Amino acid sequence: MTESTRARTTRPALDVLDRDQDRLLYDGDARREPPIQPLTDGFDDVFYALSWYQAAGIRTLGNVEKVIEPSDMMPMSGLLEKLLTVNDGRESEYVRRRLVEQLDSACDLAYRQFRPRASERVETDEGETWSDVDPDVESNPLMRPAFRQLDQGQAAALIDLWTGFKDREALGRWVRNLSTPTNGEKPDGLLDEIVGNPPLLDALLEQDAETAKVTRYRFGIAVVMPSFLAAARTLNGGERTDSSGATHGAWKS
């Protein structure tokens, strides 16, 4: 579908959300760090799968778990292997296609949930209208800087987790800093639980071993990701994009 044929609303934040969801499922987003690889094509490795799931939480307001639960993203779950391009084949392509189709409802639910908050003005005194906002160039998910901050904070936390921590202080600081990317939904007593679990603690502090990386991935999915999804559901993010450029001048808060 081209931009000339894509349906638009008079509330550009909804159009931006719609485009964000297209990238999640079909097109990917190379502008983001780490890039979003589209679900329909599969993921180059488990880190990109982890990153996609986190990005999907933001762009579906947490509703991705209605179709893909965190446990489904675990190694040996039967699903994760079908999402990786290294195991590509007709069966994997079929599984991904069905997930894309099933996630359409989760995307629609997020659209409906966000709709009451998408209250941008239709036209300003200067004559700028909703059509001056281009969903293809808007960098804030849902056209909300708060959601971009949440997305970036979660992505950065996962990168740190993936690489491991040099010592217990670095780990403690990472856990402490999870309050922001979880929007205050961090599990109670998380650091105590980590320290009280020597095998997990060793895996978080071992930066090179592949077995430790697998443990960190499991920890990210089982413990961190539910808090990230909760953050996407609970963040209000009422501030709209405020840009000095002509494209977004009509939508200053």
Side-chain angles (χ1 to χ4, degrees):
M1 181 180 293
T2 65
E3 284 305 309
S4 61
T5 60
R6 181 185 295 275
R8 293 288 304 271
T9 71
T10 57
R11 292 188 283 178
L14 291 175
D15 297 329
V16 170
L17 173 59
D18 191 46
R19 187 70 185 95
D20 288 337
Q21 293 172 342
D22 278 352
R23 294 188 183 101
L24 195 68
L25 301 180
Y26 298 105
D27 302 324
D29 191 351
R31 305 171 305 168
R32 182 182 180 271
E33 183 57 40
I36 295 174
Q37 296 185 332
L39 175 59
T40 189
D41 291 345
F43 309 116
D44 290 344
D45 57 40
V46 292
F47 176 74
Y48 281 111
L50 178 69
S51 180
W52 178 89
Y53 194 65
Q54 176 269 312
I58 298 292
R59 290 152 181 81
T60 66
L61 301 182
N63 290 307
V64 63
E65 69 175 339
K66 295 181 182 297
V67 177
I68 306 173
E69 297 181 2
S71 59
D72 295 327
M73 297 295 291
M74 283 291 192
M76 308 304 292
S77 66
L79 177 62
L80 179 61
E81 291 73 21
K82 300 293 191 302
L83 302 182
L84 303 178
T85 56
V86 69
N87 297 317
D88 225 358
R90 294 185 64 181
E91 183 180 358
S92 295
E93 291 176 2
Y94 174 78
V95 169
R96 294 197 299 267
R97 175 58 56 196
R98 288 296 295 130
L99 285 174
V100 167
E101 293 165 350
Q102 292 164 0
L103 281 166
D104 186 65
S105 294
C107 290
D108 284 347
L109 178 57
Y111 188 98
R112 293 193 299 272
Q113 290 172 339
F114 183 62
R115 187 168 53 196
R117 287 183 271 168
S119 56
E120 288 78 12
R121 299 183 296 278
V122 175
E123 185 172 355
T124 68
D125 294 339
E126 291 76 24
E128 295 170 314
T129 72
W130 58 269
S131 60
D132 292 313
V133 176
D134 185 352
D136 273 331
V137 300
E138 172 61 44
S139 60
N140 294 310
L142 294 81
M143 203 174 163
R144 297 296 190 269
F147 278 96
R148 185 181 187 187
Q149 289 295 107
L150 186 66
D151 189 35
Q152 291 178 336
Q154 291 182 354
L158 290 181
I159 290 173
D160 289 342
L161 175 62
W162 185 253
T163 56
F165 306 96
K166 64 179 182 179
D167 53 36
R168 283 178 62 163
E169 180 177 333
L171 171 61
R173 287 178 179 272
W174 178 80
V175 173
R176 177 70 188 87
N177 290 334
L178 283 178
S179 295
T180 298
T182 63
N183 195 32
E185 300 290 339
K186 181 176 68 176
D188 291 338
L190 178 58
L191 187 55
D192 275 344
E193 290 188 14
I194 292 172
V195 173
N197 185 336
L200 174 59
L201 179 61
D202 289 345
L204 293 173
L205 298 178
E206 170 55 66
Q207 295 181 301
D208 298 323
E210 285 301 315
T211 54
K213 190 165 289 187
V214 171
T215 299
R216 293 197 298 272
Y217 175 88
R218 288 180 173 274
F219 175 79
I221 287 292
V223 178
V224 179
M225 199 61 68
S227 297
F228 282 179
L229 295 173
R233 287 192 294 269
T234 58
L235 181 69
N236 181 39
E239 304 87 351
R240 297 185 290 272
T241 292
D242 185 358
S243 171
S244 59
T247 302
H248 302 307
W251 318 111
K252 294 181 180 180
S253 299

